[in-house]
Amino acid sequence: MPVFKTPFNGYSVKFSPFYESRIAVGTAQNFGILGNGRVHVLDLSPATPTLTELVAFDTADGVYDLAWSESHDSLLIAATADGSVKIYDTALPPNANPIRSLHEHTREVHSADYNPTRRDSFLTSSWDDTVKLWTVDRPTSVRTFKEHAYCVYNATWNPRHSDVFCSASGDCTLRIWDVREMGSTMIIPAHEFEILACDWNKYDDCLIASASVDKSIKIWDVRSYRVPIAVLNGHGYAVRKVKFSPHRRNLLASCSYDMTVCLWDFMVDDALVGRYDHHTEFAVGVDMSVLVEGLLASTGWDEVVYVWQQGMDPRAV
């Protein structure tokens, strides 16, 4: 299966929504604590199972997350450790990038997510306890959402309702927001420890997954959120990212500080349906291709990007 070695520690990997062979990877030097970062745009060769670098962009600080534009096939949003949000046009050379650098967050920006339905705006979440709403053509944010009492590690749009998103925070809550409302519309005390990630189900827009330092993933139905509809245990350490399948309602992927990527079917008793232990350091980035069913990608602090088909060994040549 295709493998790419990055010079820095991997943090984020994202499949392009336009090109089935294109992948973006965000990396940070010295485990993201101090040092530079780099954005890699890779191409998956159909003829030979190799990942080739198309272009790379250097940053003065680590890159914690990436989001492809849903309206422009070459635009890429980067969440960086210096608190800035950078917009790259991957069709332009590195010396013409970034095409915009947005400086409003006062601490590290930890996530970025492009609106999949309206396709004109994106969210960023930060260690400054806020979520910000942006459009590509405005030099300042449209709005700041500040209710969380600690770092907001992740903010993700609802796949069907263009004004609704959820956020996951170190204050142990999930919050649901509607950009038309003044404050959050729902607060879910989802875990007793920090929540590092969240994602919406792509087939049932009332279901949310939360991933926590407590090693568990919980599935919530916002119509009745007193108790989760499923609790997925199997990771040995904090769960860093969680991602619902774009092709199958009950399937989701996760990655963890236990160095594994797991696949889950949250509707069955034996929910863990796949475990991949190909990383040799913290696994912190995972994604599932929208365009190719069953195609997965992951990256981690071992400075390696893997792309593989579900059921296959990521390390197989």
Side-chain angles (χ1 to χ4, degrees), residues 279-292:
H279 285 289
T280 57
E281 261 290 354
F282 291 171
V284 295
V286 68
D287 198 21
M288 305 174 88
S289 172
V290 172
L291 301 176
V292 182

Side-chain angles (χ1 to χ4, degrees), residues 20-32:
E20 61 183 48
S21 63
R22 193 160 298 175
I23 300 162
V25 181
T27 67
Q29 199 174 17
N30 302 315
F31 308 101

